[in-house]
Amino acid sequence: MRRELIEALTYPRLLILKIIDSRDCPHESLFAATSERCKECPIGQECHWTSCLNDFEDLSRKPTHTLSASLRYGMRLVESLHRELRHDETTCACEPCTWVRDSQRLIAAYEAGLTPNPYRPGA
């Protein structure tokens, strides 16, 4: 499961890096919290997420729940980047839609194996 979560993070990370590269980033695609340019950049959160993944030199050492949360964020990024395509994400065979569906199944499989949280409403 961990390996699949780590592998699934590759797709959104590469998408964001491609966008960052096209913007002539002065920080070599690394988010700088003290940079005014990073603060004003429209892809600041996405860049920060990518930088966090880069900081995880060895993703295999990260807790599975962290990998799952990162994948959830990656799914939101892919969905928002491709929202303008306006196609049926449940049946479309394009790469972004296929990746989102696969990631949803992966997260569902991970969460199915979790012990219910007694502190969460409805659990």
Side-chain angles (χ1 to χ4, degrees):
M1 177 65 64
R2 294 176 57 74
R3 181 181 53 78
E4 291 91 350
L5 289 167
I6 291 168
E7 288 173 3
L9 287 167
T10 302
Y11 181 73
R13 184 175 173 269
L14 292 176
L15 282 178
I16 298 303
L17 288 175
K18 187 187 297 185
I19 292 169
I20 294 169
D21 287 345
S22 72
R23 301 223 179 201
D24 190 32
C25 178
H27 302 292
E28 298 178 12
S29 303
L30 297 174
F31 181 79
T34 57
S35 166
E36 283 302 315
R37 186 159 177 189
C38 286
K39 289 177 185 175
E40 295 174 13
C41 182
I43 57 172
Q45 288 179 334
E46 293 87 344
C47 183
H48 184 253
W49 176 77
T50 303
S51 293
C52 286
L53 289 181
N54 288 342
D55 288 344
F56 296 169
E57 285 184 27
D58 188 0
L59 288 175
S60 65
R61 294 183 190 180
K62 293 299 169 191
T64 308
H65 68 273
T66 300
L67 298 172
S68 176
S70 294
L71 185 57
R72 277 187 176 281
Y73 187 79
M75 281 177 36
R76 288 194 304 269
L77 290 175
V78 172
E79 289 169 336
S80 69
L81 288 171
H82 293 91
R83 184 163 288 131
E84 73 279 355
L85 296 177
R86 295 192 176 138
H87 47 171
D88 186 358
E89 294 174 352
T90 60
T91 59
C92 180
C94 77
E95 187 176 27
C97 289
T98 301
W99 180 85
V100 167
R101 283 192 306 272
D102 291 345
S103 295
Q104 287 170 335
R105 283 193 281 281
L106 184 58
I107 289 172
Y110 165 69
E111 290 177 349
L114 295 177
T115 304
N117 182 345
Y119 302 105
R120 181 176 292 155

